Amino acid sequence: MADSAPLLSVWDLTVTFPTKHGPVRAIDSLAFDVPRGRTLGIVGESGSGKSVTSLAVMGLHTGADVTGSVVLDGQELIGLSDRALNGLRGRRMAMIFQDPLSSLHPYYTVGEQIAEHHRVHFGSGRRAARARAVEALAEVGIPEPRRRAGEYPHQFSGGMRQRVMIAMALACEPDLLIADEPTTALDVTVQAQILELITRLQEERGLAVVMITHDLGVVARVAHDVLVMYGGRVAEQAPVDALFTTPAHPYTRGLLDSLPRLDDPDDTPLRAIPGSPPSLLDPAPGCAFAPRCPRAARGSEEERSRCAAERPVRSGPEGHPVACHFPAYEGVAP
């Protein structure tokens, strides 16, 4: 059962990268909470800041200026030393990366890699750590876990490697799990198995989960709450049912409209949001979505000027804030 108090609380998080062309503010004043036992889905186009957010929470950015507040179970993470963060990563919070093959070391067996993870955080002996590795592989549904613990990453299929990554992430029973595109490049059957596995483990352990994805189908399947990001900013935040039935931001509506529908004829072209994501080197002073926004294009000259010059502040009904000057809380046909 979900705890009403947030396990993870992010407030005014800003991440800026120095480049030869000038500073790039990849995340701009981000804020969200994740209670225990609940899943927050973070969605948006490539370059919207989803993965940058996850790495900032884990304290994995190097060379970036990270400001704001990230609080895990009452402990502030921004400003912690590397040694202190190393004690939390894997033990209190863990992350599943996009590409399991590049995330796993090719020269060590998967059992050795999971066991090392356990030894570092619990100081257990090799035999006990090995036993925990086999147990973790069994928990994520890998057949013959004792034998397969002695195999190398390249001997596993893509779906099985992703299960190994989940086993490694959960071997030390963390409170927070961040899954960054965990089903990328997997076929739909394996994707469903991975999502069911994460959901089952969440229910059994009361995990707080941050699910980062560009796939709204994944969000609809596993998330309790959704954060829509655009240009490093929050566009809309809502419970999953409210987001799909009453999207208020034109960008959210565009994402939903771009989904293929079963009742469309076979030759119906995919619907796309016109234009391109904004440049973070030279961010617009107003709404980042204004150049692509159909609502702004239909508006009066005064409304278009406001969208272009004035940055919208998140507002709206409790639990469903939206950063838009002209939000439209209206239903969407199923």
Side-chain angles (χ1 to χ4, degrees):
M1 183 177 295
D3 188 338
S4 58
L7 173 74
L8 176 68
S9 184
V10 175
W11 178 253
D12 198 27
L13 179 65
T14 300
V15 181
T16 306
F17 294 96
T19 74
K20 63 180 180 179
H21 300 293
V24 172
R25 182 169 289 187
I27 299 294
D28 193 353
S29 303
L30 187 65
F32 61 84
D33 292 333
V34 187
R36 294 178 186 273
R38 289 184 71 85
T39 297
L40 173 70
I42 301 181
V43 300
E45 294 171 288
S46 296
S48 61
K50 305 184 301 296
S51 294
V52 174
T53 298
S54 65
L55 294 174
V57 171
M58 294 291 292
L60 292 173
H61 284 304
T62 57
D65 181 23
V66 181
T67 61
S69 176
V70 176
V71 178
L72 178 67
D73 200 17
Q75 182 177 9
E76 176 63 62
L77 304 186
I78 300 295
L80 279 185
S81 66
D82 288 341
R83 181 173 183 178
L85 283 171
N86 285 337
L88 294 172
R89 287 192 290 251
R91 180 63 189 93
R92 297 297 310 280
M93 55 182 181
M95 185 168 176
I96 305 170
F97 295 94
Q98 289 188 35
D99 182 6
L101 186 59
S102 63
S103 301
L104 293 167
H105 201 295
Y107 297 116
Y108 296 94
T109 66
V110 299
E112 288 176 308
Q113 295 180 61
I114 298 173
E116 180 185 14
H117 190 61
H118 196 267
R119 288 199 305 271
V120 167
H121 289 287
F122 291 100
S124 54
R126 289 186 175 275
R127 180 173 296 180
R130 170 77 178 188
R132 178 62 187 121
V134 172
E135 182 182 316
L137 292 175
E139 288 173 351
V140 298
I142 292 181
E144 301 183 74
R146 188 173 301 279
R147 177 180 66 81
R148 303 225 66 183
E151 295 182 350
Y152 295 86
H154 71 272
Q155 295 176 279
F156 289 75
S157 67
M160 285 297 173
R161 281 196 293 266
Q162 196 62 280
R163 288 174 184 264
V164 170
M165 286 297 299
I166 296 172
M168 185 178 297
L170 299 180
C172 296
E173 301 186 2
D175 301 309
L176 171 68
L177 176 66
I178 299 176
D180 187 359
E181 301 278 10
T183 58
T184 296
L186 300 179
D187 63 64
V188 292
T189 302
V190 177
Q191 179 186 92
Q193 292 172 351
I194 295 298
L195 295 178
E196 288 172 3
L197 171 62
I198 293 175
T199 300
R200 175 176 64 80
L201 293 172
Q202 179 185 46
E203 293 172 351
E204 292 174 356
R205 302 186 182 188
L207 281 169
V209 177
V210 177
M211 177 70 68
I212 295 171
T213 181
H214 64 276
D215 189 339
L216 286 168
V218 170
V219 169
R221 186 184 184 100
V222 302
H224 299 96
D225 305 284
V226 187
L227 187 75
V228 181
M229 294 188 65
Y230 185 78
R233 305 175 186 174
V234 176
E236 186 168 358
Q237 186 172 4
V240 65
D241 290 340
L243 187 94
F244 278 86
T245 57
T246 57
H249 198 287
Y251 178 60
T252 308
R253 169 60 69 87
L255 291 177
L256 292 171
D257 287 345
S258 67
L259 292 173
R261 297 175 60 99
L262 292 175
D263 55 356
D264 282 339
D266 291 342
D267 58 351
T268 300
L270 292 176
R271 295 168 287 272
I273 301 174
S276 302
S279 169
L280 299 181
L281 272 171
D282 185 23
C287 176
F289 189 61
R292 308 172 67 187
C293 180
R295 172 64 181 83
R298 293 193 305 266
S300 65
E301 183 177 350
E302 181 181 354
E303 290 174 336
R304 291 196 301 270
S305 297
R306 183 184 180 192
C307 290
E310 182 183 337
R311 179 173 175 178
V313 178
R314 281 197 294 170
S315 60
E318 184 178 357
H320 193 165
V322 58
C324 180
H325 293 304
F326 309 103
Y329 292 91
E330 57 188 40
V332 175

